[in-house]
């Protein structure tokens, strides 16, 4: 499991990115098996937290996870990959948001997903206080705009690469509102199963 926290500028370049990862296990083996796990690229791992069953010295010297696992569910390791490493963000956003023109147009699509499905996609935008309403049409999913909190939310779902999700329409400002020159932050949440964004790969178990 890997969680990506990234900041992307309006040109699509990554300003900041880091990954928090976990390897969770569910063990149902008889006896006391002695297991080892190795990685193709263990140098990617920073700030590693190991389960007590792991022999620390062997990891420190050989970068091999050697352990006798406990029964049931447990977290074998957790790790952090800093922004100094190259993180390929597997999703992109094309957007045009103009409060002066009262227009919004957003398209979201997959990028470098190795053929994996992008699921549970949702977008959230905190709008300026002067925005009164949004009249939009979504090609898929549904959107909401809370006139009190001024938060726009679009629940996209799965991305179909043959017809990328798009939402567009008009933004209405309140009566007497002056010109708005805001650059709102777009927060994107998504899930890609069976994919490690960091590029971390298990060599042998």
């Amino acid at each position: 499991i890997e969680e990506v926290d990234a900041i992307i500028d309006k040109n699509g370049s990554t300003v900041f990115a880091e990954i928090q990862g976990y390897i969770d296990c569910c063990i149902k083996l008889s006896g006391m098996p002695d297991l080892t796990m190795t990685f193709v690229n263990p140098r990617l791992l920073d700030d590693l937290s190991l389960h007590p069953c792991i022999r620390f010295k062997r990891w420190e010297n050989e970068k091999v996870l050697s352990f006798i696992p406990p029964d049931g569910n447990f977290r074998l390791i957790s790790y952090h990959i800093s922004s100094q490493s190259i993180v390929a963000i597997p999703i992109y956003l094309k957007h045009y948001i103009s409060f002066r023109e009262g227009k919004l147009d957003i398209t979201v699509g997959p990028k470098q997903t190795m053929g994996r499905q992008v699921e549970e996609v949702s977008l959230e935008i905190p709008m300026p206080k002067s925005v009164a309403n949004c009249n939009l049409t979504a090609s898929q999913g549904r959107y909401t705009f809370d006139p009190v909190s001024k938060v726009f939310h679009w629940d996209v779902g799965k991305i179909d690469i043959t017809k990328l999700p798009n939402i567009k329409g008009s933004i209405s400002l309140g009566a007497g509102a002056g010109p708005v020159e805001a650059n709102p932050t777009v927060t994107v949440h998504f899930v890609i199963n069976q994919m490690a964004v960091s590029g971390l790969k298990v060599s042998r178990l």
Side-chain angles (χ1 to χ4, degrees), residues 91-156:
I91 197 168
Y92 72 88
L93 207 66
K94 290 183 179 179
H95 65 284
Y96 179 78
I97 303 173
S98 173
F99 298 108
R100 179 181 296 177
E101 299 176 35
K103 292 182 180 179
L104 180 146
D105 190 338
I106 299 174
T107 300
V108 59
K111 181 176 68 173
Q112 299 177 355
T113 63
M114 295 184 287
R116 304 292 185 188
Q117 179 89 56
V118 185
E119 302 175 315
E120 299 180 33
V121 180
S122 65
L123 279 72
E124 189 172 281
I125 306 175
M127 296 290 192
K129 293 181 179 179
S130 55
V131 173
N133 200 9
C134 298
N135 185 15
L136 308 171
T137 301
S139 65
Q140 77 173 65
R142 58 187 298 270
Y143 81 92
T144 58
F145 174 72
D146 188 332
V148 178
S149 66
K150 306 297 183 182
V151 173
F152 160 82
H153 183 86
W154 180 24
D155 187 5
V156 181

Side-chain angles (χ1 to χ4, degrees), residues 150-183:
K150 306 297 183 182
V151 173
F152 160 82
H153 183 86
W154 180 24
D155 187 5
V156 181
K158 293 182 181 180
I159 292 181
D160 180 358
I161 60 173
T162 63
K163 187 179 180 182
L164 296 179
N166 171 266
I167 188 167
K168 60 183 176 181
S170 61
I171 302 170
S172 303
L173 302 182
V180 180
E181 298 294 341
N183 291 312

Side-chain angles (χ1 to χ4, degrees), residues 12 15-16 19 38 43 50 52-53 59 74 77 79 100 113 117 119 123-124 128 134 141 146 156 160 165 175 199:
V15 177
F16 167 85
I19 295 172
T38 57
R43 295 185 184 279
L50 305 176
C53 72
W59 169 257
F74 68 98
I77 67 169
Y79 57 89
R100 179 181 296 177
T113 63
Q117 179 89 56
E119 302 175 315
L123 279 72
E124 189 172 281
C134 298
D146 188 332
V156 181
D160 180 358

